[in-house]
Amino acid sequence: MPVMPSLANTDDLLPGASFADRFVIIVTGQSLDAATSASRAFGRKPAWIGALMALRHLLVRPFGLKTREEDISTAERKGMFPVIDQSASQIVLGLDDRHLDFRLLVEVREMGEGRQEVSALTLVKPHNMFGRVYLAIVTPFHKIIVPAMLAQVAKV
């Protein structure tokens, strides 16, 4: 279920972002850090999400958008998302493209009694009309995909 943005200052992550949402899962009996959480969430995707992403890539490639890992040059990734910054409790993933920039903040917060809150905060800053239209089209899918991927964090 979505909740309000985290305690992190969103302007530090992506100044001028016009879209933000945050999803949370509570994990029990594991000792996770942010990098492990992001790897579990975005490193393996269910087949139905893979099919949706393949369709997205097919539809946006004619517009020159980045669609494959080869299109994204970076030393480290979690899934297809480049790592921008990280600490034990937070990892920032993201990408800047000509139509929009996005950041994905995965945070781990200790709750005591072997429980951890793992959250995924998404920020998007469209640059033009195409970016705004793209965001409007993908938002309903995003609101289904991110919680499904975040649920994988609890799976060992």
Side-chain angles (χ1 to χ4, degrees), residues 6 22-27 30-39 87-91 105-111 115-121 150 153:
S6 70
R22 182 173 178 251
F23 298 90
V24 173
I25 185 170
I26 305 299
V27 179
Q30 300 184 46
S31 183
L32 299 172
D33 62 12
T36 302
S37 297
S39 292
S87 68
S89 63
Q90 298 183 339
I91 186 166
L105 171 67
V106 176
E107 292 182 291
V108 177
R109 186 175 64 87
E110 297 296 329
M111 299 179 70
R115 298 172 59 218
Q116 293 176 297
E117 176 188 89
V118 180
S119 63
L121 167 71
L150 190 59
V153 173

Side-chain angles (χ1 to χ4, degrees), residues 114-150:
R115 298 172 59 218
Q116 293 176 297
E117 176 188 89
V118 180
S119 63
L121 167 71
T122 304
L123 300 169
V124 181
K125 178 183 178 182
H127 295 299
N128 51 40
M129 181 60 81
F130 182 73
R132 289 186 291 280
V133 169
Y134 176 83
L135 180 60
I137 291 169
V138 302
T139 294
F141 298 100
H142 167 85
K143 290 179 184 238
I144 297 167
I145 291 171
V146 174
M149 294 187 83
L150 190 59

